Amino acid sequence: MPVGTARRPGAYPCGIDAATDVIGGTWKVLILWALHERPYRFGALRRELPGITEKLLASPLREPESDGIVHREQHDENPPRVGYSLTPKGTALDEALEPLGAWGRTNAPGETEPDPHRVA
């Protein structure tokens, strides 16, 4: 696990706390978003996420894999080919995040809302 992302010991006080522990970090949600579309090989997934390096992608893929969210399949070929996809648990998490994504599209930081007190 990368430095600074150690899981808390003990039970979570609520389900949202547990879910944010699973999806927390800079790249995990974007990885889930990409894998929602289709399975990806490592290199293609890296190209799908502009700004991520090979090293930065490897680490956030390990945790969701150990959490049962992402499935890693290695094919016995030369050179080795590795593919990633969502597990049923990952698909359920992705579906649970859809309302949060809708909220973010509507209420993105920096977006201004009409002032209900302003007279047009």
Side-chain angles (χ1 to χ4, degrees), residues 45-103:
L45 183 57
R46 187 172 54 82
R47 287 188 297 277
E48 185 68 22
L49 303 171
I52 195 167
T53 64
E54 201 169 304
K55 184 178 179 179
L56 284 175
L57 179 58
S59 181
L61 275 170
R62 283 188 207 109
E63 282 183 43
E65 184 184 353
S66 68
D67 291 334
I69 304 297
V70 171
H71 172 70
R72 179 182 188 269
E73 186 171 349
Q74 185 166 344
H75 303 274
D76 291 330
E77 298 175 0
N78 195 9
R81 181 170 56 106
V82 178
Y84 295 90
S85 60
L86 291 180
T87 64
K89 191 175 175 181
T91 300
L93 175 59
D94 188 60
E95 290 168 0
L97 290 171
E98 284 182 20
L100 184 61
W103 183 91

Side-chain angles (χ1 to χ4, degrees), residues 1-8 12 21-22 24-26 28 59-60 63:
M1 209 175 295
V3 176
T5 60
R7 304 266 170 125
R8 266 179 303 176
Y12 293 99
D21 200 12
V22 171
T26 306
K28 287 183 193 174
S59 181
E63 282 183 43

Side-chain angles (χ1 to χ4, degrees), residues 6-38:
R7 304 266 170 125
R8 266 179 303 176
Y12 293 99
C14 72
I16 292 172
D17 190 29
T20 56
D21 200 12
V22 171
I23 63 170
T26 306
W27 295 103
K28 287 183 193 174
V29 172
L30 293 175
I31 290 168
L32 287 173
W33 170 77
L35 292 177
H36 165 76
E37 298 295 320
R38 64 181 179 88

